[in-house]
Amino acid sequence: EVILNNVKSMKGKIFQSDLEQAVRFTLFHEVAQFAKIDGRRLTALQQFIAVLVRYFPFGSDGKKFLNDVQDFVMNAGEEIDGHKFLEKLQEFKANRKVFSSNRWVGCASNKPGLRRFPCSLWTLFHFLTVQAAEKEISNDPLEILQAMHGYVRHFFGCTDCSQHFQQMAVKNRIWNVTSKDDAVLWLWSSHNEVNKRLSKDATEDPDFPKIQFPSREMCPACRRKILTNHHNHHQYPIEDENSGNVEWNLVEILSYLKSMYAATNVSRFGVN
Ligand code: FAD
């Protein structure tokens, strides 16, 4: 309760706790439960670990942990056994302070079954797209989206979500993204599509309504009035809100996302 009330007043922050919970849940639960990880699924795991190694905001023990995990998945040969993977995770975690939190903060809910892991998975990938765009580590515009696509396809336990996401990826031409900034915007726009589809359905926590993000309140400059009646081709659809002729201002959106998902905006509120 205390956490929830605080978090509701901290809109636009992201939390170390949620990012760590996403990593913990993906590796220790979703990946580890596969009896056999091979072929494309193994490639997806390698790509997912690689982006975590590059951009995840762990402390020094957490970085050593990820490096060990990466060595293991890169050198494991043609297939990995999930039990063995879990044993290795435990071994690499032993005697290190890898995780600083084991609770949800920005993704907390007081209702069972809502928010939590899926919320933290979105948060993680938005964070990674922004980190990749802000750093010079790689020039591959698809680095993060490809890792996300592979993760969601081969490991995400919500199979409906996974299928929807893959269909949307084709429809929204994920493989045509040509810059790291466009990758940030691709994920923002696609997440909004999911928000629109799920708005008011049973998965919505009334404390955290599914909105076209960011809200007007969070970023007034992100929406602008359409001034002309020309039939412009809009790369991102005009919002379906009752406010009339409004469109997204992509320059402002990008700058909003880059400040929200900046490494310096990761709050340690709620860590142990
Ligand atoms: P979430 O939608 O999880 O968002 C988490 C946080 O991200 C928000 O609190 C907000 O701070 C921020 N945010 C919201 N929108 C944006 C945006 N556009 N850009 C940047 N940041 C944003 N559930 C289903 O029932 N059916 C599905 O088909 C489905 N598909 C999914 C596909 C994927 C890849 C994922 C990760 C999840 C999917 N889910 C699906 C789960 C669903 O999208 C939500 O994650 C879940 O319902 C929890 O919602 P939430 O209110 O915590 O916010």
Side-chain angles (χ1 to χ4, degrees):
E1 272 302 316
V2 178
I3 283 196
L4 268 183
N5 286 333
N6 274 300
V7 164
K8 276 198 271 177
S9 66
M10 291 166 82
K11 281 210 174 83
K13 273 271 168 207
I14 57 167
F15 298 89
Q16 181 73 16
S17 293
D18 299 318
L19 294 171
E20 290 187 7
Q21 287 288 79
V23 168
R24 191 201 304 271
F25 203 87
T26 52
L27 298 183
F28 287 76
H29 294 270
E30 293 203 310
V31 173
Q33 76 178 350
F34 281 88
K36 187 167 94 172
I37 302 162
D38 63 353
R40 287 182 179 211
R41 181 167 282 134
L42 180 56
T43 306
L45 178 60
Q46 290 167 337
Q47 288 173 343
F48 178 58
I49 303 287
V51 297
L52 294 179
V53 165
R54 285 181 166 178
Y55 305 110
F56 195 81
F58 264 145
S60 62
D61 273 5
K63 287 194 195 313
K64 288 179 197 155
F65 166 79
L66 284 177
N67 282 323
D68 286 348
V69 176
Q70 184 172 42
D71 280 349
F72 177 69
V73 300
M74 294 310 293
N75 298 309
E78 293 201 342
E79 71 175 68
I80 296 179
D81 167 325
H83 290 295
K84 178 84 181 161
F85 182 68
L86 186 57
E87 270 174 34
K88 284 288 171 188
L89 293 176
Q90 306 288 9
E91 179 191 321
F92 300 147
K93 187 166 85 72
N95 304 316
R96 284 175 175 162
K97 207 172 169 340
V98 173
F99 295 99
S100 61
S101 172
N102 55 8
R103 61 167 75 112
W104 308 102
V105 176
C107 289
S109 171
N110 56 17
K111 291 166 203 68
L114 300 185
R115 309 200 74 222
R116 301 185 178 91
F117 174 59
C119 168
S120 70
L121 197 61
W122 281 119
T123 308
L124 172 65
F125 283 112
H126 287 298
F127 176 79
L128 294 174
T129 57
V130 167
Q131 296 313 301
E134 296 292 70
K135 294 185 174 139
E136 301 293 322
I137 298 176
S138 162
N139 285 324
D140 175 6
L142 284 168
E143 182 189 25
I144 307 297
L145 295 183
Q146 184 163 41
M148 177 176 184
H149 187 267
Y151 184 85
V152 168
R153 171 168 189 169
H154 293 290
F155 296 106
F156 193 23
C158 172
T159 45
D160 267 5
C161 306
S162 173
Q163 276 172 10
H164 280 139
F165 187 79
Q166 286 167 63
Q167 284 162 8
M168 182 171 70
V170 173
K171 179 175 75 65
N172 294 351
R173 301 169 191 271
I174 191 172
W175 309 119
N176 289 5
V177 166
T178 53
S179 74
K180 293 190 278 181
D181 282 354
D182 279 346
V184 174
L185 289 171
W186 189 93
L187 192 57
W188 157 78
S189 170
S190 297
H191 190 174
N192 266 348
E193 225 178 287
V194 177
N195 292 344
K196 187 178 278 181
R197 179 155 47 81
L198 299 178
S199 164
K200 309 262 163 21
D201 96 345
T203 66
E204 180 169 276
D205 182 337
D207 288 330
F208 296 88
K210 294 187 195 294
I211 56 160
Q212 290 302 287
F213 183 93
S215 67
R216 229 170 263 280
E217 182 195 4
M218 294 168 97
C219 178
C222 288
R223 289 164 170 82
R224 67 179 167 208
K225 279 236 153 20
I226 299 172
L227 294 174
T228 65
N229 286 323
H230 296 302
H231 292 285
N232 292 333
H233 179 73
H234 294 277
Q235 187 183 1
Y236 293 105
I238 301 170
E239 251 184 297
D240 177 19
E241 284 182 354
N242 39 19
S243 50
N245 296 328
V246 172
E247 66 180 350
W248 294 115
N249 181 335
L250 296 184
V251 174
E252 294 292 340
I253 294 279
L254 186 61
S255 111
Y256 184 83
L257 294 170
K258 284 188 173 180
S259 66
M260 172 165 171
Y261 291 100
T264 49
N265 195 43
V266 180
S267 168
R268 300 191 64 84
F269 179 79
V271 299
N272 298 334

